[in-house]
Amino acid sequence: MGTAPLVEQKSIPLFKVFIPESVLEPLREVLFSGIVTEGEQTREFERRLGEYLDTPRTLALNACTHALQLALRLAGVGPGDEVISSPMTCVATNSPVLAAGASIRWADIDPQTGNIDPQAIERAITPKSKAILYVHWAGDPAPIDEINAVARAHGLKVIEDAAHAFGAEYGGRKLGSHSDFVCFSFQAIKHMTTVDGGALCCKSEEDYRRGKTLRWFGIDREARREELFWDYNIQEYGYKYHMNNVTAAIGIEQLKHVDRTLAAHRRNGAFYLQALQDVPKLAHLRRSPKAKAAFWVFTMLVEGREAFVTKLKAQGITTSIVHVRNDAYDAFKAFRRRLPGVDAFASRYISIPCGWWVTEDDAQRIAEIIRQGW
Ligand SMILES: Cc1ncc(COP(=O)(O)O)c(C=O)c1O
């Protein structure tokens, strides 16, 4: 007795799955249509997604991890090659490099943004470098122009992991068409979910055509079949990475809602930026004027992180670091090197809830609790 709060405080999760009621009818239709694998809905989702991102060479896939794997293959990355990447991301960014049989060369991040530093990329280049791979941390675009300039100067391919950054913009354009390859995730807790799913946007028509074939065992499903439907060749081995009609049917509905979802994320992000200015022991990340962030979560740098997390937890508010620096894992230990930017960021970063489920009142309550100190 005596320990329960008098007024039950509403708990606020860091992530929440958004599924609109309107998916039920199209789902029912597709589930009983007899064609649940890649077909009409997949093509329709792919077309609408390409339109939304303003990049027609878009492939709908079953995961962002597979989009990254496919991008690495299309970029020609294989055994003996090095991919320049940052460890400050989801392990799904970097695992595909190992699956491709290549090595990773870590480039440091800018500790004030969490994103990879173009100058550190330049310093990490070796004769074995083949591609640059990087995440847009928490949906805040990395310096794409500077990274592409380094890549051009050294003949490297660029792969953006935009899993956190659906709808984010850079230089007035949505992410999707700035680099050779841009990968998106529609996994459960992203801005837009198809339960599981992903997409790969390709800059070149050649990569797009080849990617389309490789996502389905290397079979060109659009080639005209002659009398015998098995009369086709497989030029090179492929994968089973295509999106299916069921998840695509969800995606078609989600696209109708995503602008409203994004607007709520951005409203909360803008609110925190203003409401949490000048809070002792708290610093905002630096944001580029060229970028319009998608605020998947709201990341800040805090002193005394454990006390911060404990204080918010006691008020029912979930916070998290979300991703552990990948070079801490044994799977990546061969690539360890000194990364002072990652060290500085990793010791202080924390993310608070920012998504569509956080009401204006919730955001005010969160800000008020933080302003009281920890
Ligand atoms: C940065 C990043 N990249 C890639 C992925 C992998 O996405 P998926 O689960 O769609 O394969 C995730 C998360 O799931 C992620 O956070």
Side-chain angles (χ1 to χ4, degrees):
M1 294 294 286
T3 52
L6 290 177
V7 181
E8 197 65 40
Q9 286 286 17
K10 177 185 173 193
S11 60
I12 306 174
L14 186 59
F15 296 113
K16 194 161 177 176
V17 178
F18 176 78
I19 301 278
E21 285 271 325
S22 63
V23 298
L24 293 176
E25 207 32 57
L27 263 184
R28 204 185 142 71
E29 215 170 280
V30 70
L31 282 170
F32 296 102
S33 69
I35 307 174
V36 290
T37 189
E38 184 193 312
E40 193 187 312
Q41 283 80 1
T42 307
R43 284 190 294 275
E44 182 59 15
F45 173 63
E46 200 165 71
R47 191 187 63 72
R48 292 188 192 202
L49 181 64
E51 237 172 60
Y52 184 83
L53 298 172
D54 199 16
T55 144
R57 287 181 284 274
T58 298
L59 296 167
L61 304 174
N62 52 13
C64 180
T65 309
H66 291 158
L68 290 159
Q69 200 74 66
L70 191 51
L72 288 161
R73 171 93 177 268
L74 294 170
V77 171
D81 295 327
E82 277 178 3
V83 174
I84 296 171
S85 181
S86 141
M88 206 59 254
T89 181
C90 177
V91 73
T93 309
N94 288 311
S95 295
V97 180
L98 304 190
S103 298
I104 298 173
R105 181 125 175 116
W106 299 128
D108 210 351
I109 60 166
D110 177 338
Q112 290 180 27
T113 67
N115 281 323
I116 202 162
D117 172 0
Q119 289 178 0
I121 294 176
E122 190 126 40
R123 289 194 296 272
I125 293 172
T126 76
K128 291 181 180 171
S129 304
K130 196 71 170 247
I132 300 165
L133 166 63
Y134 65 95
V135 72
H136 300 285
W137 181 269
D140 198 8
I144 298 177
D145 287 345
E146 287 83 343
I147 295 168
N148 280 339
V150 174
R152 265 195 309 277
H154 296 272
L156 304 176
K157 294 283 183 188
V158 176
I159 303 167
E160 291 175 46
D161 180 345
H164 298 174
F166 188 81
E169 295 177 21
Y170 184 83
R173 277 186 297 140
K174 284 200 182 86
L175 300 195
S177 56
H178 296 82
S179 306
D180 298 305
F181 304 101
V182 185
C183 305
F184 293 98
S185 172
F186 307 126
Q187 172 262 353
I189 56 169
K190 296 303 187 313
H191 289 92
M192 188 180 98
T193 182
T194 59
V195 178
D196 256 321
L200 171 64
C201 302
C202 301
K203 200 170 204 59
S204 89
E205 182 67 19
E206 193 188 337
D207 285 332
Y208 168 72
R209 291 262 143 229
R210 188 169 164 229
K212 199 169 207 177
T213 306
L214 293 184
R215 78 170 161 186
W216 215 80
F217 300 123
I219 298 168
D220 181 354
R221 301 192 76 210
E222 286 173 6
R224 251 196 87 227
R225 304 270 177 262
E226 295 308 329
E227 277 162 38
L228 303 175
F229 71 82
W230 57 83
D231 184 19
Y232 56 78
N233 186 23
I234 292 177
Q235 308 264 9
E236 53 176 337
Y237 81 90
Y239 311 99
K240 191 171 189 295
Y241 286 174
H242 62 273
M243 182 174 272
N244 65 57
N245 276 351
V246 179
T247 52
I250 299 173
I252 291 169
E253 286 310 307
Q254 292 282 26
L255 273 174
K256 298 175 189 168
H257 297 267
V258 76
D259 276 336
R260 268 199 308 139
T261 307
L262 272 163
H265 281 250
R266 287 193 172 119
R267 179 202 67 214
N268 290 330
F271 171 75
Y272 290 139
L273 281 175
Q274 179 265 317
L276 297 176
Q277 283 183 69
D278 309 321
V279 175
K281 300 195 289 178
L282 184 154
H284 282 315
L285 298 183
R286 206 187 59 237
R287 291 181 157 83
S288 158
K290 278 193 195 171
K292 187 171 172 191
F295 290 106
W296 179 50
V297 288
F298 189 88
T299 303
M300 310 165 301
L301 303 174
V302 297
E303 304 290 344
R305 183 168 55 192
E306 262 184 49
F308 178 93
V309 170
T310 307
K311 162 129 194 217
L312 271 81
K313 190 174 173 199
Q315 302 284 336
I317 298 154
T318 312
T319 63
S320 173
I321 60 168
V322 185
H323 301 307
V324 173
R325 58 186 291 174
N326 294 179
D327 56 351
Y329 297 126
D330 278 354
F332 299 96
K333 72 173 178 227
F335 315 117
R336 277 185 197 142
R337 57 197 297 245
R338 215 176 73 81
L339 299 168
V342 175
D343 295 342
F345 183 83
S347 60
R348 295 202 292 149
Y349 73 117
I350 193 73
S351 293
I352 60 172
C354 183
W356 56 270
W357 60 95
V358 179
T359 65
E360 289 179 59
D361 284 351
D362 293 339
Q364 281 199 13
R365 181 162 81 88
I366 293 172
E368 191 46 45
I369 291 166
I370 294 172
R371 293 187 68 82
Q372 286 161 6
W374 54 95

